[in-house]
């Protein structure tokens, strides 16, 4: 009834499911000050046990890094999430990373966004720990950490809830 009077409003609270299966850890455990110090945004990290990033919600690809090691995805509410596979993996020049989406593509929760070779990353000497951070914190009123540590399965556990401004 009220939506008919005032028009549809954007979703205010977004539930973010685990985009990878593995062990969730606080950002402070990431051996990169940009992530550990939350300079890239707040969130958490997952030490993956499977080389696959799946969509944690329905949305679009805001930006796919050309080396396929990182992606920024956007929810209809405007929430942007950066998923960065490994630390310093940009130096691999895309070797071991396969994108299944491109910038501007739409996706549904659970769709595979990027697959990656854990063995190849570790053999190259890079950690596979994957930070998952809110890229546009200024648009988020509150970020609730539902999971702070422990095992998670992609698409099963809600790890974060973001309440948008406005």
């Amino acid at each position: 009834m009220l939506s008919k009077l005032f028009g549809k409003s954007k979703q205010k609270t977004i539930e973010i499911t685990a985009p990878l299966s593995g062990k969730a850890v606080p950002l402070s455990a990431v051996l990169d000050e940009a992530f550990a110090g939350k300079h890239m945004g707040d969130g958490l990290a997952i030490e993956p046990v499977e080389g696959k990033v799946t969509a944690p919600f329905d949305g679009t690809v805001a930006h796919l890094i050309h080396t396929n090691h990182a992606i920024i995805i956007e929810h209809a509410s405007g929430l942007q999430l950066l998923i960065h596979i490994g630390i310093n993996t940009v130096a691999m020049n895309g070797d071991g990373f396969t994108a299944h989406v491109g910038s501007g593509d739409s996706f549904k929760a659970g769709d595979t966004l990027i697959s990656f070779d854990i063995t190849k990353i570790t053999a190259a000497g890079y950690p596979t720990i994957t930070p998952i951070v809110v890229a546009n914190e200024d648009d988020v009123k509150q970020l609730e950490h539902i999971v702070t540590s422990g095992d998670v399965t992609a698409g099963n556990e809600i790890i974060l809830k973001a309440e948008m401004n406005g």
Side-chain angles (χ1 to χ4, degrees), residues 47-85:
E47 184 66 57
V49 294
E50 180 183 21
K52 184 167 73 167
V53 174
T54 60
F57 48 70
D58 294 350
T60 57
V61 178
H63 186 66
L64 175 67
I65 308 303
H66 75 280
T67 53
N68 299 333
H69 76 285
I71 190 169
I72 299 173
I73 56 175
E74 187 169 338
H75 185 271
S77 65
L79 174 76
Q80 291 188 341
L81 203 63
L82 166 65
I83 302 170
H84 190 285
I85 304 162

Side-chain angles (χ1 to χ4, degrees), residues 16-20 27 30 32 34-36 38-46 53-57 60-75 78-90 107 113-114 129-137 140 143 159-160 162:
I16 302 164
T17 60
L20 301 106
L27 282 178
V30 177
D32 182 321
F35 290 108
K38 299 184 181 179
H39 305 294
M40 303 292 288
D42 195 3
L44 57 82
I46 296 175
V53 174
T54 60
F57 48 70
T60 57
V61 178
H63 186 66
L64 175 67
I65 308 303
H66 75 280
T67 53
N68 299 333
H69 76 285
I71 190 169
I72 299 173
I73 56 175
E74 187 169 338
H75 185 271
L79 174 76
Q80 291 188 341
L81 203 63
L82 166 65
I83 302 170
H84 190 285
I85 304 162
I87 302 303
N88 297 324
T89 49
V90 66
F107 55 79
L113 302 176
I114 299 173
I129 193 165
T130 301
I132 300 139
V133 299
V134 174
N136 60 337
E137 279 190 305
V140 177
L143 184 66
I159 57 170
L160 300 165

Side-chain angles (χ1 to χ4, degrees), residues 48-51 92 95-96 116-126 128:
V49 294
E50 180 183 21
M92 293 181 70
D95 187 29
F116 57 98
D117 188 330
I118 292 174
T119 305
K120 193 173 269 195
I121 296 169
T122 53
Y126 300 107
T128 57

